Amino acid sequence: MLYDLVARFYKKANDKKAAYACPLGFYHESLSGDLESRGFEIDPDATPGYLDYIKRSSSVEELQEFTRKGFISEVKDVLRAGESEGGYERIEISAMEVEVIDDEGTIPPFGVFLGGTFVHFQYSEPEAPVTFIDGDPYKATEKTKTFTVALGSLKKYFNVLTLYEVRAGLKKDFDNRKCWPFGKLKEHFEPKKDDAV
């Protein structure tokens, strides 16, 4: 079973909404009950039809167990922000079952539609490419129009720390604007030659 891991950081132990959420990557459960042996319990609020888990009251050390080469930079940024804001009283890790779409285990693209443009996120490092695809990502061909922007640039644009905040910012600012077709988004976001110098 493949799970998408997400860390959620709460300023107060009884807060209902997390201050930040960060993707930790994927976790492949090789043996049934593996997550439960690591302190996860079945999430009662799981999406119907999926077996999701949650680990409540996780520690910083437990977070690091789920990141291969130390913390990913986004988690570091959130932890630094927490230090300056008094820390986090609660950290949770969610393990959400991933639906694969074929026998090779292809994972559906993670992103957001902005009108007729799909914005595809790969991972949360600042240099990670965020690809804007004209149309349906499942029907993309070599001739499909695309452009790429580094995630770090979008984080600066929205003045945020996390990939999820970028996704929410794009959805809030551009999703309902019919005047933002693919070409307009490209003109607005694609790095200019002067910016790269």
Side-chain angles (χ1 to χ4, degrees):
M1 203 65 86
L2 187 66
Y3 292 91
D4 188 13
L5 298 179
V6 177
R8 289 186 173 80
F9 301 83
Y10 298 83
K11 290 183 181 177
K12 299 291 179 196
N14 59 353
D15 284 352
K16 299 262 189 248
K17 187 176 181 206
Y20 297 103
C22 298
L24 296 177
F26 293 106
Y27 181 78
H28 187 268
E29 184 183 48
S30 52
L31 298 171
S32 181
D34 186 25
L35 284 169
E36 289 166 329
S37 71
R38 290 173 162 261
F40 284 81
E41 58 190 57
I42 294 174
D43 187 350
D45 299 325
T47 305
Y50 290 88
L51 184 59
D52 297 343
Y53 290 89
I54 190 162
K55 183 172 179 65
R56 301 182 198 282
S57 302
S58 296
S59 66
V60 172
E61 291 75 27
E62 288 169 320
L63 274 179
Q64 192 150 3
E65 285 179 32
F66 291 103
T67 55
R68 292 190 176 171
K69 298 177 182 175
F71 289 125
I72 55 177
S73 64
E74 186 167 284
V75 173
K76 286 181 184 175
D77 292 343
V78 167
L79 289 171
R80 268 190 236 108
E83 287 171 11
S84 66
E85 298 169 0
Y88 303 105
E89 291 186 6
R90 186 171 105 230
I91 300 173
E92 292 183 350
I93 302 174
S94 297
M96 294 164 290
E97 186 180 346
V98 174
E99 178 182 5
V100 293
I101 60 169
D102 59 26
D103 293 337
E104 285 77 45
T106 302
I107 299 165
F110 172 73
V112 63
F113 271 104
L114 305 179
T117 301
F118 183 76
V119 185
H120 177 234
F121 297 92
Q122 293 184 20
Y123 52 97
S124 62
E125 297 300 307
E127 69 280 358
V130 177
T131 306
F132 289 70
I133 302 166
D134 188 17
D136 186 337
Y138 289 108
K139 296 178 182 173
T141 67
E142 292 171 4
K143 295 180 181 177
T144 301
K145 293 186 278 185
T146 65
F147 71 94
T148 328
V149 179
L151 180 60
S153 297
L154 292 174
K155 286 181 179 182
K156 284 180 186 169
Y157 177 84
F158 288 107
N159 192 27
V160 296
L161 293 177
T162 70
L163 178 154
Y164 292 132
E165 290 174 304
V166 168
R167 187 178 68 167
L170 284 166
K171 195 147 182 64
K172 180 181 172 196
D173 285 0
F174 300 97
D175 191 28
N176 294 321
R177 297 184 189 181
K178 302 299 179 202
C179 62
W180 287 94
F182 176 83
K184 186 76 170 170
L185 287 165
K186 180 175 181 175
E187 183 183 307
H188 188 73
F189 283 116
E190 190 172 43
K192 310 289 186 285
K193 289 182 182 175
D194 292 343
D195 295 341
V197 175

